[in-house]
Amino acid sequence: MENIYLTIALAPLLGAIIAGFFGGMLGRAATHTITILGVLVSTVLALYVFNHHVLEQGAVFNQNLYTWMQIGGLNVSVGFLVDNLTSVMLVVVSFVSLMVHIYTIGYMHDDDGYTKFFSYISLFTFSMFMLVMSNNFMQLFFGWEAVGLVSYLLIGFWHHKESAVEANLKAFLVNRVGDFGFLLGIGLVLAFSGSLDYMEVFSSLDKVVGQSLWGADLITVICLLLFVGAMGKSAQVPLHVWLPGSMEGPTPISALIHAATMVTAGIFMVSRMSPMFELSDVALTVVMVIGAITALFMGLLGIVQNDIKKVVAYSTLSQLGYMTVALGVSAYSVAIFHLMTHAFFKALLFLGAGSVIVAMHHEQDIRKMGGLRKKMPITYWTGLIGTLALIGFPGFAGFYSKDMIIEAVHFSSLPYADWVYYAVVAGVFITAFYSLRMFFIVFHGESRVDHHTEEHLHESPASITFPLIALAIPSAIIGYLTIDPMLFNGWLDNAITVDAAHKSMSEIGQLFNDHGGALGMISHAVFTVPFWMMVGGVVTAWMFSLYRTQWAAWVQSKFQGINYILESLYGFDRFNEIVFVNGVKKLGNLLWKVSDAGLIDKMVVNGSARLVGFVGSVVRPIQTGYVYHYAFFMIFSLLIILTWALFAGDNPLLQIEF
């Protein structure tokens, strides 16, 4: 099995190296063939690993492959931990990556950086594999930073666009804030356990229980610092500001990195660290509240967006908030369940948005679209499936995973769980509204496409539509097929730890059985508040699409203040610009004036020059060139020395014999 795990990780890396260094010589066809084959090999082997570990209940693989570095008594190794959680992540990452690789053939067909793009996305796939397969914190951090690096490169891939360069710099800086906290958390883990190996750390947690740091519970400090890293990578408030801007990159990476895989790294990390988080109710409460704020308020921003990709981007932020809420109420398996279903339908929605963008000659404003269902039937029907999955329509993948999150919050005993429940239920209405608003405006109603574009408007090529169909299938059925085994029959039991006091999972398991399993949940849905919130959002979106102009004018007149707040994105960007960007500039100018210009230049450099000049000006008149002047100074100096020797009682010069 060791060779299989190595092949899963290294096959995309090999493709990335070949595409990056030799893509220009090999040509486009050979480049995309090699990289797709590399990811295809990983996908097939990931399915085999999933079958071995999950379906056949194979033993957990935890083994170091070689020693990376040795510092004193600390050994840092490269190794793999492959259990059921890893197996699920491998399937999700490899399958979505494979679909994005195929999709890229059509989407980037006319781009000059075609081979470089394939190299980057294959490199990302390798990095993500290293992250989810790691068995120690150092390798986790390597994968963590590697996916961040590739994200930076791909957001600014079209570097001729100033907005793309600004977006990738913003993503880089915001993630450095999160990674700083993450690194501090890893440092504390090493300090209290003396190891970075997961199993060794988890087995030594009894050493940290009851200890304090800076007046706070040590395990709480560690968990919160680790969660800061998750907030950056998984775009939770207030470190969410980078993700909407990342839509400046090509659409394939929006689907691969910023919807389906990289942004879920924080969710995966907290789930992997469940033995630590279960020791701190304070940390869990913070995680839950941050997730609820993100789920609700980022969803509201999706309502006022008119860029087709940014609507989906704010939807991603909101859904990541739902996953984070599940983590906070100790429903880690539910968070991973939603991570999996969301990866399929959100990748589908992003790639569907890209299909529309290609057909519209890279127009992204939904107000300039309309009636596209007649011209793009495959994109329309797959987009409908993805939208129904997102809003949690009964039977579709998102219905099961989102409903389980809401129920888990309902049964939680953590502080503020009641308010979080109201937030996630309200989020159901909001999600349905902004999702169907976009869908109706783009695909229904009268066409608002300009005449020249409409003449050439047609369905996207097979390289784009095939991934849409392939992703639409799991978006429809994966929730129904996997809810029982993943949540209630042990798929993730060997990878996740839940304290007995946190009983959400047992409660929703009882609820699931009482309603007759997956099918029973569908029939029961019509009696639940979330279902009718979803219906209300759908109806409201339909009415909005019919009376869009009148509605917009009414909102502007009646809710001008709220509309301004939403359109200004709650002022996060403005606040960051004033406080951090301008603040850093002013601090830099102050330090330059005080230290560089004042202390170093004026005092040290110029001051020493002036001192030398002053001394020279004093000494210079003494150097007359006359011998009798020098003789006089010699005699006078000797007289001073003798006088000092005579009047200094303990001076050694008194012992001189003349």
Side-chain angles (χ1 to χ4, degrees):
M1 293 297 290
E2 177 182 326
N3 292 331
I4 292 177
Y5 305 138
L6 277 172
T7 304
I8 290 175
L10 296 180
L13 177 62
L14 179 61
I17 292 172
I18 294 174
F21 288 100
F22 309 107
M25 295 184 291
L26 294 173
R28 293 187 167 208
T31 298
H32 70 235
T33 300
I34 291 170
T35 52
I36 290 174
L37 282 176
V39 179
L40 178 61
V41 168
S42 296
T43 305
V44 172
L45 293 178
L47 290 171
Y48 173 79
V49 169
F50 179 83
N51 178 73
H52 172 73
H53 283 281
V54 179
L55 302 183
E56 297 181 355
Q57 298 181 349
V60 173
F61 179 90
N62 183 17
Q63 184 174 323
N64 294 327
L65 304 183
Y66 70 91
T67 300
W68 188 356
M69 65 180 78
Q70 185 171 0
I71 306 173
L74 175 64
N75 291 319
V76 180
S77 301
V78 173
F80 292 150
L81 170 60
V82 183
D83 53 14
N84 291 5
L85 175 59
T86 305
S87 302
V88 171
M89 292 298 297
L90 288 177
V91 171
V92 171
V93 172
S94 59
F95 181 75
V96 173
S97 179
L98 178 62
M99 293 302 103
V100 169
H101 275 72
I102 296 172
Y103 180 93
T104 301
I105 297 174
Y107 193 89
M108 301 293 287
H109 181 267
D110 298 323
D111 198 280
D112 293 336
Y114 187 87
T115 57
K116 180 172 69 172
F117 191 86
F118 272 97
S119 175
Y120 284 171
I121 58 177
S122 289
L123 180 61
F124 167 81
T125 307
F126 157 75
S127 303
M128 195 68 193
F129 284 151
M130 293 298 290
L131 189 156
V132 301
M133 296 172 71
S134 62
N135 71 347
N136 62 83
F137 282 92
M138 186 61 75
Q139 187 176 329
L140 171 69
F141 191 71
F142 164 77
W144 194 272
E145 293 302 300
V147 294
L149 168 64
V150 181
S151 174
Y152 168 81
L153 295 173
L154 286 169
I155 294 171
F157 187 78
W158 288 327
H159 50 79
H160 56 277
K161 294 171 57 179
E162 184 177 353
S163 57
V165 175
E166 291 177 354
N168 75 347
L169 183 60
K170 184 178 184 180
F172 179 84
L173 293 175
V174 172
N175 274 276
R176 295 294 69 73
V177 175
D179 293 350
F180 179 67
F182 189 45
L183 195 57
L184 288 177
I186 293 175
L188 285 178
V189 167
L190 176 61
F192 83 76
S193 68
S195 174
L196 292 175
D197 182 89
Y198 291 160
M199 295 301 109
E200 292 182 13
V201 171
F202 296 157
S203 64
S204 63
L205 286 175
D206 57 333
K207 298 179 182 178
V208 74
V209 175
Q211 295 191 34
S212 62
L213 179 68
W214 305 319
D217 185 44
L218 177 57
I219 191 64
T220 299
V221 174
I222 293 172
C223 290
L224 290 178
L225 286 172
L226 293 176
F227 181 63
V228 169
M231 288 171 63
K233 198 66 74 184
S234 294
Q236 297 297 288
V237 172
L239 301 182
H240 68 283
V241 293
W242 67 270
L243 194 144
S246 70
M247 298 302 106
E248 291 292 337
T251 299
I253 63 105
S254 299
L256 177 63
I257 297 180
H258 305 126
T261 54
M262 186 195 81
V263 291
T264 60
I267 309 301
F268 164 80
M269 184 271 291
V270 175
S271 298
R272 177 63 79 195
M273 302 302 143
S274 60
M276 301 174 66
F277 278 83
E278 284 299 286
L279 298 175
S280 174
D281 281 356
V282 174
L284 290 175
T285 302
V286 171
V287 171
M288 178 186 67
V289 171
I290 292 293
I293 293 172
T294 305
L296 178 62
F297 290 99
M298 294 302 106
L300 287 170
L301 294 183
I303 296 174
V304 299
Q305 300 301 313
N306 293 309
D307 184 306
I308 189 171
K309 286 177 65 176
K310 286 195 174 181
V311 175
V312 186
Y314 280 105
S315 169
T316 300
L317 285 170
S318 181
Q319 296 307 303
L320 288 167
Y322 274 92
M323 298 176 209
T324 304
V325 166
L327 297 174
V329 296
S330 299
Y332 303 99
S333 56
V334 178
I336 298 300
F337 183 43
H338 194 52
L339 182 157
M340 178 188 67
T341 61
H342 175 266
F344 294 125
F345 65 71
K346 189 52 63 67
L348 171 61
L349 288 172
F350 262 118
L351 296 185
S355 178
V356 171
I357 292 169
V358 169
M360 291 289 296
H361 297 176
H362 293 275
E363 175 59 63
Q364 296 184 198
D365 192 334
I366 61 176
R367 294 170 295 184
K368 298 179 181 179
M369 302 175 188
L372 297 187
R373 73 183 189 280
K374 299 175 183 177
K375 300 280 188 175
M376 308 181 70
I378 297 177
T379 302
Y380 171 77
W381 287 108
T382 55
L384 178 61
I385 292 172
T387 302
L388 293 176
L390 171 61
I391 68 174
F393 192 86
F396 288 82
F399 161 73
Y400 292 104
S401 55
K402 186 181 290 186
D403 194 59
M404 289 296 100
I405 292 174
I406 295 172
E407 294 297 343
V409 176
H410 177 67
F411 290 116
S412 175
S413 58
L414 287 177
Y416 312 110
D418 291 341
W419 292 101
V420 171
Y421 177 77
Y422 297 140
V424 293
V425 170
V428 174
F429 173 87
I430 295 166
T431 302
F433 176 65
Y434 68 67
S435 301
L436 271 299
R437 166 186 172 267
M438 181 186 74
F439 186 81
F440 290 144
I441 291 175
V442 172
F443 291 105
H444 289 267
E446 296 182 358
S447 174
R448 294 173 297 279
V449 182
D450 67 79
H451 180 69
H452 175 73
T453 302
E454 191 161 19
E455 285 183 347
H456 300 88
L457 192 62
H458 59 81
E459 185 58 272
S460 299
S463 60
I464 290 179
T465 55
F466 171 75
L468 297 182
I469 296 170
L471 287 166
I473 295 171
S475 297
I477 65 174
I478 196 70
Y480 172 79
L481 294 177
T482 60
I483 180 173
D484 190 13
M486 179 170 283
L487 300 189
F488 311 117
N489 281 323
W491 270 17
L492 299 177
D493 286 352
N494 69 353
I496 287 172
T497 299
V498 180
D499 190 272
H502 302 147
K503 57 183 181 178
S504 292
M505 287 305 302
S506 60
E507 295 285 356
I508 63 175
Q510 184 63 45
L511 181 70
F512 181 80
N513 292 327
D514 290 345
H515 293 307
L519 282 177
M521 293 294 293
I522 297 176
S523 59
H524 173 70
V526 296
F527 301 104
T528 63
V529 173
F531 173 80
W532 291 107
M533 294 291 283
M534 182 270 296
V535 171
V538 172
V539 173
T540 306
W542 176 250
M543 297 299 295
F544 175 85
S545 66
L546 293 177
Y547 306 102
R548 186 167 55 89
T549 304
Q550 299 92 318
W551 190 314
W554 180 74
V555 170
Q556 285 284 1
S557 62
K558 299 294 184 181
F559 302 98
Q560 187 174 3
I562 296 176
N563 190 66
Y564 173 78
I565 292 173
L566 294 178
E567 289 186 345
S568 64
L569 310 179
Y570 304 120
F572 277 104
D573 286 337
R574 183 62 177 160
F575 176 82
N576 290 335
E577 181 181 354
I578 293 174
V579 175
F580 294 110
V581 177
N582 292 339
V584 168
K585 287 181 179 179
K586 291 179 179 179
L587 178 62
N589 286 331
L590 177 63
L591 293 176
W592 168 73
K593 290 179 180 178
V594 173
S595 61
D596 283 10
L599 182 62
I600 297 175
D601 289 347
K602 189 174 182 179
M603 294 183 63
V604 178
V605 178
N606 296 335
S608 60
R610 286 194 295 270
L611 178 62
V612 171
F614 172 75
V615 173
S617 64
V618 172
V619 174
R620 191 181 302 113
I622 301 175
Q623 305 300 320
T624 62
Y626 296 111
V627 174
Y628 61 88
H629 284 171
Y630 298 148
F632 171 77
F633 280 114
M634 291 174 64
I635 295 170
F636 182 73
S637 299
L638 181 60
L639 180 62
I640 292 175
I641 293 173
L642 291 174
T643 302
W644 170 70
L646 289 173
F647 290 97
D650 57 348
N651 198 294
L653 290 177
L654 292 175
Q655 302 174 9
I656 299 175
E657 295 182 0
F658 294 95

